[in-house]
Amino acid sequence: MPLHFELVTPEKLVRSEDVYMVTVPGTEGDFGVLENHAPLVSTLRDGELLVVAAQGAAPTAIRVTGGFAEVNERGLTVLAEQVEAQG
């Protein structure tokens, strides 16, 4: 069962997809989220989300500014003030 990941800004839903793992730039340090992660809420520092679509795949970097991340039974939701895809 993959991790459901949503990336949202105040303007729109940027991404909604099932992925293998996401590394989040939390204010207390980076943390990785896989499926079945314990519930967690963290504020974000400006940095890069690293999204790994499948096990062994190269990560995709997405620059985020401000906001917070929430992990719950439905997956990972990142609410960012601004998002800039890195390719």
Side-chain angles (χ1 to χ4, degrees), residues 3 21-25 29-34 37 40 50 71 76:
L3 170 70
M21 179 179 158
V22 180
T23 301
V24 179
D30 291 359
F31 61 94
V33 180
L34 294 160
H37 193 286
L40 171 75
L50 298 177
V71 182
L76 169 65

Side-chain angles (χ1 to χ4, degrees), residues 7 12-13 24 27-28 34 47-48 60 79 82:
L7 177 57
K12 65 179 181 176
L13 174 64
V24 179
T27 52
E28 300 293 320
L34 294 160
E48 290 185 339
T60 299
L79 298 145
Q82 292 184 323

Side-chain angles (χ1 to χ4, degrees), residues 7-87:
L7 177 57
V8 182
T9 66
E11 293 80 34
K12 65 179 181 176
L13 174 64
V14 178
R15 291 178 93 155
S16 179
E17 60 190 322
D18 290 339
V19 299
Y20 174 68
M21 179 179 158
V22 180
T23 301
V24 179
T27 52
E28 300 293 320
D30 291 359
F31 61 94
V33 180
L34 294 160
E35 64 174 312
N36 298 319
H37 193 286
L40 171 75
V41 174
S42 174
T43 52
L44 300 179
R45 72 174 196 287
D46 297 352
E48 290 185 339
L49 289 170
L50 298 177
V51 181
V52 180
Q55 190 169 5
T60 299
I62 304 170
R63 180 124 182 103
V64 293
T65 305
F68 68 94
E70 178 183 10
V71 182
N72 59 33
E73 68 278 354
R74 294 182 305 279
L76 169 65
T77 301
V78 175
L79 298 145
E81 292 173 15
Q82 292 184 323
V83 173
E84 179 186 334
Q86 297 290 303

